[in-house]
Amino acid sequence: MSRRTSRPRRPAPVVEASPRITPASPCPCGLPGTYGDCCGRLHASAAAAPTCEALMRSRYSAFVVRDAAYLLRTWHPGTRPPSVDFDPALRWVRLEILETTEGSAFHTTGTVTFRAHYTDDGRPDSLHEQSRFVRHDGAWVYASAVFVD
């Protein structure tokens, strides 16, 4: 998942993980269950995403909790940026999975089309994107994206 913006980029300060998400919190990805039992396990490297949709959900949750290490670890090395900067004015609030193609245990590629809702300085907006995932060294990784809107 990437983010586009029309306003000038400001320097990104060091931002700590969101204090309101705990292992007992509902998982930000939208699936039933707690963060600790869902995406938190993937963030902690206790499990790997079995599908590209699971990876997409866990990457969204990583943006919510501001886990740059997980985002970089699950980004294809050919397209991975040197770092991930988090905008302190931006808050991710909800993820909608709109379509998934391939991306199961039997595939080597897959796509997930989604809409991620956020607020930017309190103003609601959303990001509509189709992300492409590939298997790299046996694990699903984010490769690239196309903005739908």
Side-chain angles (χ1 to χ4, degrees):
M1 186 163 86
S2 57
R3 184 172 106 67
R4 66 179 175 189
T5 180
S6 58
R7 70 179 188 194
R9 290 180 68 84
R10 55 184 172 250
V14 174
V15 180
E16 298 299 320
S18 174
R20 57 186 208 288
I21 303 294
T22 69
S25 297
C27 194
C29 80
L31 291 178
T34 65
Y35 170 70
D37 290 336
C38 192
C39 293
R41 294 179 325 113
L42 303 178
H43 296 172
S45 299
T51 65
C52 65
E53 180 179 330
L55 182 62
M56 175 65 241
R57 288 179 179 280
S58 70
R59 285 179 56 82
Y60 169 82
S61 292
F63 275 96
V64 172
V65 300
R66 300 178 183 194
D67 187 343
Y70 181 77
L71 291 167
L72 293 170
R73 190 169 66 244
T74 59
W75 212 310
H76 190 280
T79 58
R80 179 187 312 139
S83 63
V84 176
D85 296 324
F86 297 106
D87 183 339
L90 192 133
R91 296 287 179 258
W92 298 100
V93 296
R94 182 168 55 96
L95 176 66
E96 288 178 83
I97 301 295
L98 305 173
E99 181 181 25
T100 300
T101 60
E102 297 184 329
S104 76
F106 303 104
H107 298 106
T108 57
T109 64
T111 64
V112 178
T113 304
F114 66 92
R115 183 171 284 117
H117 299 267
Y118 63 91
T119 61
D120 190 356
D121 277 333
R123 293 180 304 276
D125 206 345
S126 66
L127 171 72
H128 190 185
E129 181 179 301
Q130 182 181 67
S131 292
R132 188 173 70 84
F133 298 88
V134 298
R135 291 233 187 227
H136 180 74
D137 293 336
W140 285 110
V141 293
Y142 169 80
S144 62
V146 174
F147 294 107
V148 179
D149 288 341

